[in-house]
Amino acid sequence: MKLSEGVEWAIHSCSLLAALPTGAALPTRKLAAYFELSETYLAKNLQLLSNADIVTTRKGPGGGYALAKAADAISLLDIVEAIEGRSPCFSCTEIRRRGPTGIGDEAYKRPCGIARSMWKAEKAWRDELAKVSLHKIQAMALEETPDAQLEKAKIWFEEALA
Amino acid sequence: MKLSEGVEWAIHSCSLLAALPTGAALPTRKLAAYFELSETYLAKNLQLLSNADIVTTRKGPGGGYALAKAADAISLLDIVEAIEGRSPCFSCTEIRRRGPTGIGDEAYKRPCGIARSMWKAEKAWRDELAKVSLHKIQAMALEETPDAQLEKAKIWFEEALA
DNA sequence: TTAAATATGGATATATTTTATCCATATAAT
DNA sequence: ATTATATGGATAAAATATATCCATATTTAA
Ligand code: FES
Ligand code: FES
């Protein structure tokens, strides 16, 4: 069980976008450059964010990506689900119905106890992710980023938005 | 993010083993037959349970698998970790250090806020799994299994252990 | 003592998923 | 018009999950 790389990429990208001045946007090329990531593959992940209405896009020169809503209205869960999808990690294949003791499908009404337990745990995970806003992520990043990096980031932004 | 099939197989297998009379054991062949699963692949998963000390084994005729401890001393988390391993689902690749604004590795002491948040959610998942004992799983199964199946299972057991 | 039944671990094969790239197209700004 | 950009589809390459096979060690039962 591993989350895809794209989840980390997407969170960092959103966190960076959260720092943009109103009205500004960053294109794939610049986002990829900032994090030193594959431009084409990052583009795919940004598309997922776009389809999930987490970011908005503007085509053409000067265009790019920006957050679609306030950073405190976007949660880690939103981002994780945009990238990973919404299907449960645990999937019950109804093993209980199989084999020599299994009986007709109509006999099994509720989801089995195993699935219910696994799904409950998964809900705890999602609930916890839902509690963390992008705003909080950005605030933590701001606080823990070394001053030297903040300086360089400031200069990079000026150039990128010029 | 998907849990491997083996997790479901392992939980069902343990739940069945929990129903064994003291001293009895079931070999791979019979477990696979009961659930109509691939015998060779189930064997691999049972090996993982064995290495994790969730089940004990006895080689030779009349041998097989049995629980290594009481069913209420085994949790879903134990089983999930035996099959899936203990490494975190989210892995921080330290993207923050990269790119044109990144500075020397020595500047980043604590894990980043993104990773801390993701790991916290993961902990909530594991904690929830740890709360569910195999005993509970077995009790739920017993309660929700149709009577017709319980009958057939009883007969199957008698034959299997004869 | 021997034969049969079983688990174990290694090697390997196959299928599926993830990661990554490329391209043709649509769209917007200058 | 030209340039910069996102989008979605097709495809390729790499990694992982699924599945099988085999040689070996061990244990039981005859
Ligand atoms: S029957 Fe296997 S998890 Fe539901
Ligand atoms: S730097 Fe990316 S999650 Fe830690």
Side-chain angles (χ1 to χ4, degrees), chain A residues 1 3 8 33 36 84 89 93 96 98-101 108 113 116 144 149 152, chain B residues 1 3 8 33 36 84 89 93 96 98-102 108 113 116 144 149:
Chain A
M1 217 214 359
L3 287 163
E8 187 186 358
E36 210 177 316
E84 285 282 329
C89 314
T93 66
R96 61 178 173 171
R98 306 173 52 174
T101 72
Y108 307 89
R116 295 201 313 276
E144 69 201 9
Q149 185 167 24
K152 291 171 93 173
Chain B
M1 216 212 1
L3 286 164
E8 187 186 358
E36 211 177 314
E84 285 282 329
C89 314
T93 66
R96 61 177 173 172
R98 305 172 53 174
T101 71
Y108 306 90
R116 295 200 313 275
E144 69 200 8
Q149 184 167 25

PDB file of all heavy atoms in Angstrom, chain A residues 1 3 8 33 36 84 89 93 96 98-101 108 113 116 144 149 152, chain B residues 1 3 8 33 36 84 89 93 96 98-102 108 113 116 144 149:
ATOM      1  N   MET A   1       0.814  -1.201   0.000  1.00  0.00           N
ATOM      2  CA  MET A   1       0.000   0.000   0.000  1.00  0.00           C
ATOM      3  C   MET A   1       0.852   1.258   0.000  1.00  0.00           C
ATOM      4  O   MET A   1       1.436   1.612   1.005  1.00  0.00           O
ATOM      5  CB  MET A   1      -0.893   0.019   1.227  1.00  0.00           C
ATOM      6  CG  MET A   1      -2.225   0.589   0.891  1.00  0.00           C
ATOM      7  SD  MET A   1      -3.008   1.533   2.148  1.00  0.00           S
ATOM      8  CE  MET A   1      -1.891   1.450   3.497  1.00  0.00           C
ATOM      9  N   LEU A   3       0.981   5.363  -1.458  1.00  0.00           N
ATOM     10  CA  LEU A   3       0.381   6.475  -2.181  1.00  0.00           C
ATOM     11  C   LEU A   3       1.286   6.817  -3.350  1.00  0.00           C
ATOM     12  O   LEU A   3       2.503   6.673  -3.260  1.00  0.00           O
ATOM     13  CB  LEU A   3       0.245   7.685  -1.256  1.00  0.00           C
ATOM     14  CG  LEU A   3      -0.848   7.578  -0.209  1.00  0.00           C
ATOM     15  CD1 LEU A   3      -0.643   8.601   0.886  1.00  0.00           C
ATOM     16  CD2 LEU A   3      -2.200   7.764  -0.861  1.00  0.00           C
ATOM     17  N   GLU A   8       2.497  13.756  -3.261  1.00  0.00           N
ATOM     18  CA  GLU A   8       3.445  14.727  -2.717  1.00  0.00           C
ATOM     19  C   GLU A   8       3.615  15.906  -3.682  1.00  0.00           C
ATOM     20  O   GLU A   8       3.576  17.062  -3.270  1.00  0.00           O
ATOM     21  CB  GLU A   8       4.804  14.080  -2.419  1.00  0.00           C
ATOM     22  CG  GLU A   8       5.747  15.047  -1.687  1.00  0.00           C
ATOM     23  CD  GLU A   8       7.163  14.507  -1.492  1.00  0.00           C
ATOM     24  OE1 GLU A   8       7.426  13.363  -1.885  1.00  0.00           O
ATOM     25  OE2 GLU A   8       8.001  15.259  -0.967  1.00  0.00           O
ATOM     26  N   ALA A  33       9.988  23.466 -12.705  1.00  0.00           N
ATOM     27  CA  ALA A  33      11.340  23.986 -12.486  1.00  0.00           C
ATOM     28  C   ALA A  33      11.569  24.254 -11.000  1.00  0.00           C
ATOM     29  O   ALA A  33      12.621  23.918 -10.453  1.00  0.00           O
ATOM     30  CB  ALA A  33      11.544  25.262 -13.297  1.00  0.00           C
ATOM     31  N   GLU A  36      12.009  20.951  -9.491  1.00  0.00           N
ATOM     32  CA  GLU A  36      12.926  20.074 -10.218  1.00  0.00           C
ATOM     33  C   GLU A  36      12.250  18.720 -10.511  1.00  0.00           C
ATOM     34  O   GLU A  36      12.817  17.664 -10.274  1.00  0.00           O
ATOM     35  CB  GLU A  36      14.188  19.857  -9.370  1.00  0.00           C
ATOM     36  CG  GLU A  36      15.459  19.624 -10.144  1.00  0.00           C
ATOM     37  CD  GLU A  36      16.640  19.497  -9.173  1.00  0.00           C
ATOM     38  OE1 GLU A  36      16.739  20.300  -8.220  1.00  0.00           O
ATOM     39  OE2 GLU A  36      17.431  18.571  -9.346  1.00  0.00           O
ATOM     40  N   GLU A  84      -5.409  10.263  -6.098  1.00  0.00           N
ATOM     41  CA  GLU A  84      -5.506   8.817  -5.908  1.00  0.00           C
ATOM     42  C   GLU A  84      -6.875   8.252  -6.270  1.00  0.00           C
ATOM     43  O   GLU A  84      -7.033   7.033  -6.370  1.00  0.00           O
ATOM     44  CB  GLU A  84      -5.229   8.475  -4.448  1.00  0.00           C
ATOM     45  CG  GLU A  84      -3.783   8.565  -4.042  1.00  0.00           C
ATOM     46  CD  GLU A  84      -2.994   7.349  -4.510  1.00  0.00           C
ATOM     47  OE1 GLU A  84      -3.581   6.256  -4.592  1.00  0.00           O
ATOM     48  OE2 GLU A  84      -1.800   7.498  -4.805  1.00  0.00           O
ATOM     49  N   CYS A  89      -9.312   1.728  -0.219  1.00  0.00           N
ATOM     50  CA  CYS A  89      -8.052   0.972  -0.293  1.00  0.00           C
ATOM     51  C   CYS A  89      -8.335  -0.514  -0.164  1.00  0.00           C
ATOM     52  O   CYS A  89      -7.684  -1.339  -0.786  1.00  0.00           O
ATOM     53  CB  CYS A  89      -7.127   1.340   0.849  1.00  0.00           C
ATOM     54  SG  CYS A  89      -6.968   3.082   1.144  1.00  0.00           S
ATOM     55  N   THR A  93     -13.771  -8.843  -1.723  1.00  0.00           N
ATOM     56  CA  THR A  93     -14.101  -9.629  -2.921  1.00  0.00           C
ATOM     57  C   THR A  93     -15.104 -10.725  -2.621  1.00  0.00           C
ATOM     58  O   THR A  93     -15.251 -11.670  -3.391  1.00  0.00           O
ATOM     59  CB  THR A  93     -12.832 -10.232  -3.559  1.00  0.00           C
ATOM     60  OG1 THR A  93     -12.275 -11.187  -2.661  1.00  0.00           O
ATOM     61  CG2 THR A  93     -11.801  -9.155  -3.852  1.00  0.00           C
ATOM     62  N   ARG A  96     -16.256 -14.770   1.346  1.00  0.00           N
ATOM     63  CA  ARG A  96     -17.160 -15.555   2.208  1.00  0.00           C
ATOM     64  C   ARG A  96     -18.182 -16.366   1.422  1.00  0.00           C
ATOM     65  O   ARG A  96     -18.705 -17.358   1.907  1.00  0.00           O
ATOM     66  CB  ARG A  96     -17.893 -14.632   3.173  1.00  0.00           C
ATOM     67  CG  ARG A  96     -18.756 -13.578   2.474  1.00  0.00           C
ATOM     68  CD  ARG A  96     -19.509 -12.721   3.465  1.00  0.00           C
ATOM     69  NE  ARG A  96     -20.193 -11.615   2.783  1.00  0.00           N
ATOM     70  CZ  ARG A  96     -21.063 -10.797   3.366  1.00  0.00           C
ATOM     71  NH1 ARG A  96     -21.347 -10.966   4.645  1.00  0.00           N
ATOM     72  NH2 ARG A  96     -21.625  -9.819   2.692  1.00  0.00           N
ATOM     73  N   ARG A  98     -17.642 -17.909  -1.353  1.00  0.00           N
ATOM     74  CA  ARG A  98     -17.026 -18.893  -2.245  1.00  0.00           C
ATOM     75  C   ARG A  98     -16.753 -20.208  -1.543  1.00  0.00           C
ATOM     76  O   ARG A  98     -16.996 -20.374  -0.360  1.00  0.00           O
ATOM     77  CB  ARG A  98     -15.740 -18.303  -2.799  1.00  0.00           C
ATOM     78  CG  ARG A  98     -15.974 -16.959  -3.454  1.00  0.00           C
ATOM     79  CD  ARG A  98     -14.688 -16.293  -3.845  1.00  0.00           C
ATOM     80  NE  ARG A  98     -13.850 -17.199  -4.647  1.00  0.00           N
ATOM     81  CZ  ARG A  98     -12.728 -16.844  -5.225  1.00  0.00           C
ATOM     82  NH1 ARG A  98     -12.302 -15.606  -5.104  1.00  0.00           N
ATOM     83  NH2 ARG A  98     -12.021 -17.711  -5.921  1.00  0.00           N
ATOM     84  N   GLY A  99     -16.233 -21.134  -2.294  1.00  0.00           N
ATOM     85  CA  GLY A  99     -15.827 -22.407  -1.725  1.00  0.00           C
ATOM     86  C   GLY A  99     -16.996 -23.321  -1.452  1.00  0.00           C
ATOM     87  O   GLY A  99     -18.154 -22.965  -1.704  1.00  0.00           O
ATOM     88  N   PRO A 100     -16.690 -24.494  -0.923  1.00  0.00           N
ATOM     89  CA  PRO A 100     -17.694 -25.543  -0.752  1.00  0.00           C
ATOM     90  C   PRO A 100     -18.807 -25.190   0.230  1.00  0.00           C
ATOM     91  O   PRO A 100     -19.876 -25.784   0.179  1.00  0.00           O
ATOM     92  CB  PRO A 100     -16.885 -26.739  -0.251  1.00  0.00           C
ATOM     93  CG  PRO A 100     -15.613 -26.175   0.260  1.00  0.00           C
ATOM     94  CD  PRO A 100     -15.347 -24.936  -0.519  1.00  0.00           C
ATOM     95  N   THR A 101     -18.562 -24.197   1.108  1.00  0.00           N
ATOM     96  CA  THR A 101     -19.620 -23.877   2.079  1.00  0.00           C
ATOM     97  C   THR A 101     -20.450 -22.676   1.652  1.00  0.00           C
ATOM     98  O   THR A 101     -21.442 -22.348   2.301  1.00  0.00           O
ATOM     99  CB  THR A 101     -19.039 -23.604   3.477  1.00  0.00           C
ATOM    100  OG1 THR A 101     -18.371 -22.345   3.464  1.00  0.00           O
ATOM    101  CG2 THR A 101     -18.057 -24.692   3.889  1.00  0.00           C
ATOM    102  N   TYR A 108     -26.445 -12.971   1.338  1.00  0.00           N
ATOM    103  CA  TYR A 108     -25.525 -12.037   1.975  1.00  0.00           C
ATOM    104  C   TYR A 108     -25.983 -10.611   1.729  1.00  0.00           C
ATOM    105  O   TYR A 108     -25.773 -10.061   0.663  1.00  0.00           O
ATOM    106  CB  TYR A 108     -24.114 -12.250   1.435  1.00  0.00           C
ATOM    107  CG  TYR A 108     -23.652 -13.687   1.531  1.00  0.00           C
ATOM    108  CD1 TYR A 108     -23.890 -14.595   0.495  1.00  0.00           C
ATOM    109  CD2 TYR A 108     -22.991 -14.143   2.664  1.00  0.00           C
ATOM    110  CE1 TYR A 108     -23.477 -15.912   0.590  1.00  0.00           C
ATOM    111  CE2 TYR A 108     -22.570 -15.467   2.767  1.00  0.00           C
ATOM    112  CZ  TYR A 108     -22.820 -16.338   1.728  1.00  0.00           C
ATOM    113  OH  TYR A 108     -22.407 -17.645   1.831  1.00  0.00           O
ATOM    114  N   GLY A 113     -18.310  -8.115   8.041  1.00  0.00           N
ATOM    115  CA  GLY A 113     -17.663  -7.444   9.171  1.00  0.00           C
ATOM    116  C   GLY A 113     -16.230  -7.047   8.891  1.00  0.00           C
ATOM    117  O   GLY A 113     -15.751  -6.021   9.393  1.00  0.00           O
ATOM    118  N   ARG A 116     -16.459  -3.900   6.832  1.00  0.00           N
ATOM    119  CA  ARG A 116     -16.920  -2.782   7.658  1.00  0.00           C
ATOM    120  C   ARG A 116     -15.791  -2.266   8.555  1.00  0.00           C
ATOM    121  O   ARG A 116     -15.599  -1.058   8.709  1.00  0.00           O
ATOM    122  CB  ARG A 116     -18.126  -3.206   8.509  1.00  0.00           C
ATOM    123  CG  ARG A 116     -19.367  -3.566   7.672  1.00  0.00           C
ATOM    124  CD  ARG A 116     -20.657  -3.483   8.484  1.00  0.00           C
ATOM    125  NE  ARG A 116     -20.586  -4.131   9.775  1.00  0.00           N
ATOM    126  CZ  ARG A 116     -20.778  -5.443   9.987  1.00  0.00           C
ATOM    127  NH1 ARG A 116     -21.064  -6.261   8.972  1.00  0.00           N
ATOM    128  NH2 ARG A 116     -20.704  -5.927  11.199  1.00  0.00           N
ATOM    129  N   GLU A 144       8.730  26.541   8.877  1.00  0.00           N
ATOM    130  CA  GLU A 144       9.887  25.654   9.003  1.00  0.00           C
ATOM    131  C   GLU A 144      10.893  25.790   7.865  1.00  0.00           C
ATOM    132  O   GLU A 144      11.938  25.152   7.904  1.00  0.00           O
ATOM    133  CB  GLU A 144       9.418  24.192   9.162  1.00  0.00           C
ATOM    134  CG  GLU A 144       8.781  23.597   7.935  1.00  0.00           C
ATOM    135  CD  GLU A 144       7.903  22.382   8.266  1.00  0.00           C
ATOM    136  OE1 GLU A 144       7.659  22.111   9.449  1.00  0.00           O
ATOM    137  OE2 GLU A 144       7.478  21.712   7.311  1.00  0.00           O
ATOM    138  N   GLN A 149      16.366  29.894   2.361  1.00  0.00           N
ATOM    139  CA  GLN A 149      15.504  29.439   1.270  1.00  0.00           C
ATOM    140  C   GLN A 149      14.378  30.438   0.999  1.00  0.00           C
ATOM    141  O   GLN A 149      14.028  30.689  -0.155  1.00  0.00           O
ATOM    142  CB  GLN A 149      14.929  28.056   1.590  1.00  0.00           C
ATOM    143  CG  GLN A 149      14.109  27.477   0.436  1.00  0.00           C
ATOM    144  CD  GLN A 149      13.799  26.008   0.598  1.00  0.00           C
ATOM    145  OE1 GLN A 149      13.787  25.484   1.717  1.00  0.00           O
ATOM    146  NE2 GLN A 149      13.563  25.325  -0.500  1.00  0.00           N
ATOM    147  N   LYS A 152      15.676  33.098  -1.262  1.00  0.00           N
ATOM    148  CA  LYS A 152      15.795  32.661  -2.656  1.00  0.00           C
ATOM    149  C   LYS A 152      14.423  32.525  -3.295  1.00  0.00           C
ATOM    150  O   LYS A 152      14.237  32.856  -4.470  1.00  0.00           O
ATOM    151  CB  LYS A 152      16.553  31.332  -2.725  1.00  0.00           C
ATOM    152  CG  LYS A 152      18.027  31.438  -2.353  1.00  0.00           C
ATOM    153  CD  LYS A 152      18.694  30.081  -2.221  1.00  0.00           C
ATOM    154  CE  LYS A 152      19.348  29.637  -3.514  1.00  0.00           C
ATOM    155  NZ  LYS A 152      20.133  28.376  -3.311  1.00  0.00           N
TER     156      LYS A 152
ATOM    157  N   MET B   1      -3.643   3.842  -4.328  1.00  0.00           N
ATOM    158  CA  MET B   1      -3.430   3.209  -3.038  1.00  0.00           C
ATOM    159  C   MET B   1      -4.394   2.053  -2.822  1.00  0.00           C
ATOM    160  O   MET B   1      -5.568   2.246  -2.572  1.00  0.00           O
ATOM    161  CB  MET B   1      -3.669   4.223  -1.931  1.00  0.00           C
ATOM    162  CG  MET B   1      -2.722   3.981  -0.804  1.00  0.00           C
ATOM    163  SD  MET B   1      -3.314   4.364   0.791  1.00  0.00           S
ATOM    164  CE  MET B   1      -4.933   4.924   0.543  1.00  0.00           C
ATOM    165  N   LEU B   3      -4.718  -1.885  -0.986  1.00  0.00           N
ATOM    166  CA  LEU B   3      -4.147  -2.969  -0.198  1.00  0.00           C
ATOM    167  C   LEU B   3      -4.098  -4.209  -1.074  1.00  0.00           C
ATOM    168  O   LEU B   3      -4.952  -4.397  -1.941  1.00  0.00           O
ATOM    169  CB  LEU B   3      -5.023  -3.234   1.025  1.00  0.00           C
ATOM    170  CG  LEU B   3      -4.914  -2.190   2.130  1.00  0.00           C
ATOM    171  CD1 LEU B   3      -6.082  -2.311   3.092  1.00  0.00           C
ATOM    172  CD2 LEU B   3      -3.609  -2.339   2.864  1.00  0.00           C
ATOM    173  N   GLU B   8      -7.017  -9.548   2.450  1.00  0.00           N
ATOM    174  CA  GLU B   8      -8.317 -10.190   2.652  1.00  0.00           C
ATOM    175  C   GLU B   8      -8.138 -11.692   2.863  1.00  0.00           C
ATOM    176  O   GLU B   8      -8.726 -12.272   3.783  1.00  0.00           O
ATOM    177  CB  GLU B   8      -9.264  -9.930   1.464  1.00  0.00           C
ATOM    178  CG  GLU B   8     -10.677 -10.445   1.745  1.00  0.00           C
ATOM    179  CD  GLU B   8     -11.620 -10.343   0.535  1.00  0.00           C
ATOM    180  OE1 GLU B   8     -11.195  -9.843  -0.529  1.00  0.00           O
ATOM    181  OE2 GLU B   8     -12.771 -10.803   0.658  1.00  0.00           O
ATOM    182  N   ALA B  33      -8.744 -24.688  -0.396  1.00  0.00           N
ATOM    183  CA  ALA B  33      -9.969 -25.320  -0.872  1.00  0.00           C
ATOM    184  C   ALA B  33     -11.194 -24.648  -0.244  1.00  0.00           C
ATOM    185  O   ALA B  33     -12.180 -24.376  -0.927  1.00  0.00           O
ATOM    186  CB  ALA B  33      -9.956 -26.807  -0.544  1.00  0.00           C
ATOM    187  N   GLU B  36     -11.546 -21.451  -1.960  1.00  0.00           N
ATOM    188  CA  GLU B  36     -11.419 -21.525  -3.416  1.00  0.00           C
ATOM    189  C   GLU B  36     -10.368 -20.530  -3.930  1.00  0.00           C
ATOM    190  O   GLU B  36     -10.608 -19.770  -4.866  1.00  0.00           O
ATOM    191  CB  GLU B  36     -12.783 -21.211  -4.046  1.00  0.00           C
ATOM    192  CG  GLU B  36     -13.077 -21.892  -5.353  1.00  0.00           C
ATOM    193  CD  GLU B  36     -14.492 -21.545  -5.820  1.00  0.00           C
ATOM    194  OE1 GLU B  36     -15.441 -21.598  -4.990  1.00  0.00           O
ATOM    195  OE2 GLU B  36     -14.639 -21.210  -6.988  1.00  0.00           O
ATOM    196  N   GLU B  84       1.326  -6.484   4.367  1.00  0.00           N
ATOM    197  CA  GLU B  84       1.691  -5.275   3.613  1.00  0.00           C
ATOM    198  C   GLU B  84       3.032  -4.690   4.026  1.00  0.00           C
ATOM    199  O   GLU B  84       3.565  -3.826   3.329  1.00  0.00           O
ATOM    200  CB  GLU B  84       0.623  -4.206   3.831  1.00  0.00           C
ATOM    201  CG  GLU B  84      -0.655  -4.447   3.084  1.00  0.00           C
ATOM    202  CD  GLU B  84      -0.523  -4.077   1.609  1.00  0.00           C
ATOM    203  OE1 GLU B  84       0.250  -3.157   1.292  1.00  0.00           O
ATOM    204  OE2 GLU B  84      -1.188  -4.726   0.791  1.00  0.00           O
ATOM    205  N   CYS B  89       2.589   4.554   4.149  1.00  0.00           N
ATOM    206  CA  CYS B  89       1.991   4.703   2.822  1.00  0.00           C
ATOM    207  C   CYS B  89       2.521   5.955   2.141  1.00  0.00           C
ATOM    208  O   CYS B  89       2.720   5.989   0.938  1.00  0.00           O
ATOM    209  CB  CYS B  89       0.483   4.866   2.915  1.00  0.00           C
ATOM    210  SG  CYS B  89      -0.319   3.732   4.006  1.00  0.00           S
ATOM    211  N   THR B  93       9.704  12.636  -0.058  1.00  0.00           N
ATOM    212  CA  THR B  93      10.957  12.553  -0.820  1.00  0.00           C
ATOM    213  C   THR B  93      11.781  13.840  -0.723  1.00  0.00           C
ATOM    214  O   THR B  93      12.675  14.060  -1.525  1.00  0.00           O
ATOM    215  CB  THR B  93      10.682  12.212  -2.299  1.00  0.00           C
ATOM    216  OG1 THR B  93       9.981  13.307  -2.899  1.00  0.00           O
ATOM    217  CG2 THR B  93       9.846  10.954  -2.427  1.00  0.00           C
ATOM    218  N   ARG B  96      11.109  19.587  -0.826  1.00  0.00           N
ATOM    219  CA  ARG B  96      11.395  20.956  -0.361  1.00  0.00           C
ATOM    220  C   ARG B  96      12.864  21.352  -0.509  1.00  0.00           C
ATOM    221  O   ARG B  96      13.186  22.529  -0.580  1.00  0.00           O
ATOM    222  CB  ARG B  96      10.980  21.093   1.104  1.00  0.00           C
ATOM    223  CG  ARG B  96      11.727  20.149   2.032  1.00  0.00           C
ATOM    224  CD  ARG B  96      11.339  20.360   3.488  1.00  0.00           C
ATOM    225  NE  ARG B  96      11.937  19.326   4.348  1.00  0.00           N
ATOM    226  CZ  ARG B  96      11.903  19.345   5.669  1.00  0.00           C
ATOM    227  NH1 ARG B  96      11.305  20.339   6.293  1.00  0.00           N
ATOM    228  NH2 ARG B  96      12.461  18.383   6.375  1.00  0.00           N
ATOM    229  N   ARG B  98      14.796  20.571  -2.977  1.00  0.00           N
ATOM    230  CA  ARG B  98      15.247  20.546  -4.359  1.00  0.00           C
ATOM    231  C   ARG B  98      14.996  21.856  -5.092  1.00  0.00           C
ATOM    232  O   ARG B  98      14.425  22.776  -4.533  1.00  0.00           O
ATOM    233  CB  ARG B  98      14.544  19.395  -5.079  1.00  0.00           C
ATOM    234  CG  ARG B  98      14.770  18.079  -4.363  1.00  0.00           C
ATOM    235  CD  ARG B  98      13.939  16.971  -4.952  1.00  0.00           C
ATOM    236  NE  ARG B  98      14.151  16.876  -6.396  1.00  0.00           N
ATOM    237  CZ  ARG B  98      13.644  15.932  -7.155  1.00  0.00           C
ATOM    238  NH1 ARG B  98      12.891  15.000  -6.605  1.00  0.00           N
ATOM    239  NH2 ARG B  98      13.880  15.904  -8.447  1.00  0.00           N
ATOM    240  N   GLY B  99      15.387  21.890  -6.318  1.00  0.00           N
ATOM    241  CA  GLY B  99      15.115  23.051  -7.158  1.00  0.00           C
ATOM    242  C   GLY B  99      16.002  24.235  -6.827  1.00  0.00           C
ATOM    243  O   GLY B  99      16.846  24.158  -5.926  1.00  0.00           O
ATOM    244  N   PRO B 100      15.768  25.327  -7.549  1.00  0.00           N
ATOM    245  CA  PRO B 100      16.654  26.490  -7.455  1.00  0.00           C
ATOM    246  C   PRO B 100      16.653  27.171  -6.093  1.00  0.00           C
ATOM    247  O   PRO B 100      17.590  27.881  -5.782  1.00  0.00           O
ATOM    248  CB  PRO B 100      16.109  27.432  -8.535  1.00  0.00           C
ATOM    249  CG  PRO B 100      14.729  26.957  -8.810  1.00  0.00           C
ATOM    250  CD  PRO B 100      14.702  25.508  -8.540  1.00  0.00           C
ATOM    251  N   THR B 101      15.617  26.937  -5.281  1.00  0.00           N
ATOM    252  CA  THR B 101      15.606  27.614  -3.982  1.00  0.00           C
ATOM    253  C   THR B 101      16.105  26.719  -2.851  1.00  0.00           C
ATOM    254  O   THR B 101      16.257  27.171  -1.711  1.00  0.00           O
ATOM    255  CB  THR B 101      14.188  28.102  -3.607  1.00  0.00           C
ATOM    256  OG1 THR B 101      13.371  26.974  -3.280  1.00  0.00           O
ATOM    257  CG2 THR B 101      13.547  28.865  -4.764  1.00  0.00           C
ATOM    258  N   GLY B 102      16.331  25.456  -3.157  1.00  0.00           N
ATOM    259  CA  GLY B 102      16.776  24.518  -2.132  1.00  0.00           C
ATOM    260  C   GLY B 102      18.152  24.895  -1.606  1.00  0.00           C
ATOM    261  O   GLY B 102      18.979  25.449  -2.330  1.00  0.00           O
ATOM    262  N   TYR B 108      17.606  21.253   7.042  1.00  0.00           N
ATOM    263  CA  TYR B 108      16.275  20.702   7.273  1.00  0.00           C
ATOM    264  C   TYR B 108      16.339  19.650   8.373  1.00  0.00           C
ATOM    265  O   TYR B 108      16.734  18.512   8.129  1.00  0.00           O
ATOM    266  CB  TYR B 108      15.727  20.101   5.988  1.00  0.00           C
ATOM    267  CG  TYR B 108      15.752  21.077   4.816  1.00  0.00           C
ATOM    268  CD1 TYR B 108      16.863  21.158   3.983  1.00  0.00           C
ATOM    269  CD2 TYR B 108      14.672  21.911   4.565  1.00  0.00           C
ATOM    270  CE1 TYR B 108      16.900  22.045   2.914  1.00  0.00           C
ATOM    271  CE2 TYR B 108      14.695  22.806   3.506  1.00  0.00           C
ATOM    272  CZ  TYR B 108      15.813  22.871   2.682  1.00  0.00           C
ATOM    273  OH  TYR B 108      15.848  23.756   1.634  1.00  0.00           O
ATOM    274  N   GLY B 113       6.138  19.505   7.439  1.00  0.00           N
ATOM    275  CA  GLY B 113       4.752  19.536   7.891  1.00  0.00           C
ATOM    276  C   GLY B 113       3.837  18.651   7.074  1.00  0.00           C
ATOM    277  O   GLY B 113       2.876  18.075   7.603  1.00  0.00           O
ATOM    278  N   ARG B 116       4.420  15.142   8.325  1.00  0.00           N
ATOM    279  CA  ARG B 116       3.874  14.986   9.678  1.00  0.00           C
ATOM    280  C   ARG B 116       2.353  14.841   9.618  1.00  0.00           C
ATOM    281  O   ARG B 116       1.765  14.004  10.309  1.00  0.00           O
ATOM    282  CB  ARG B 116       4.262  16.178  10.569  1.00  0.00           C
ATOM    283  CG  ARG B 116       5.774  16.282  10.820  1.00  0.00           C
ATOM    284  CD  ARG B 116       6.118  17.119  12.064  1.00  0.00           C
ATOM    285  NE  ARG B 116       5.391  18.379  12.127  1.00  0.00           N
ATOM    286  CZ  ARG B 116       5.762  19.515  11.537  1.00  0.00           C
ATOM    287  NH1 ARG B 116       6.871  19.558  10.828  1.00  0.00           N
ATOM    288  NH2 ARG B 116       5.038  20.610  11.666  1.00  0.00           N
ATOM    289  N   GLU B 144     -23.118 -13.075  11.289  1.00  0.00           N
ATOM    290  CA  GLU B 144     -23.731 -12.689  10.024  1.00  0.00           C
ATOM    291  C   GLU B 144     -23.704 -13.788   8.964  1.00  0.00           C
ATOM    292  O   GLU B 144     -24.292 -13.614   7.885  1.00  0.00           O
ATOM    293  CB  GLU B 144     -23.091 -11.394   9.490  1.00  0.00           C
ATOM    294  CG  GLU B 144     -21.664 -11.548   9.037  1.00  0.00           C
ATOM    295  CD  GLU B 144     -20.921 -10.206   8.996  1.00  0.00           C
ATOM    296  OE1 GLU B 144     -21.466  -9.194   9.467  1.00  0.00           O
ATOM    297  OE2 GLU B 144     -19.796 -10.181   8.497  1.00  0.00           O
ATOM    298  N   GLN B 149     -25.035 -21.792   5.623  1.00  0.00           N
ATOM    299  CA  GLN B 149     -23.592 -21.904   5.453  1.00  0.00           C
ATOM    300  C   GLN B 149     -22.924 -22.470   6.703  1.00  0.00           C
ATOM    301  O   GLN B 149     -21.997 -23.270   6.618  1.00  0.00           O
ATOM    302  CB  GLN B 149     -22.995 -20.531   5.109  1.00  0.00           C
ATOM    303  CG  GLN B 149     -21.486 -20.602   4.828  1.00  0.00           C
ATOM    304  CD  GLN B 149     -20.955 -19.334   4.184  1.00  0.00           C
ATOM    305  OE1 GLN B 149     -21.522 -18.260   4.344  1.00  0.00           O
ATOM    306  NE2 GLN B 149     -19.859 -19.470   3.454  1.00  0.00           N
TER     307      GLN B 149
END
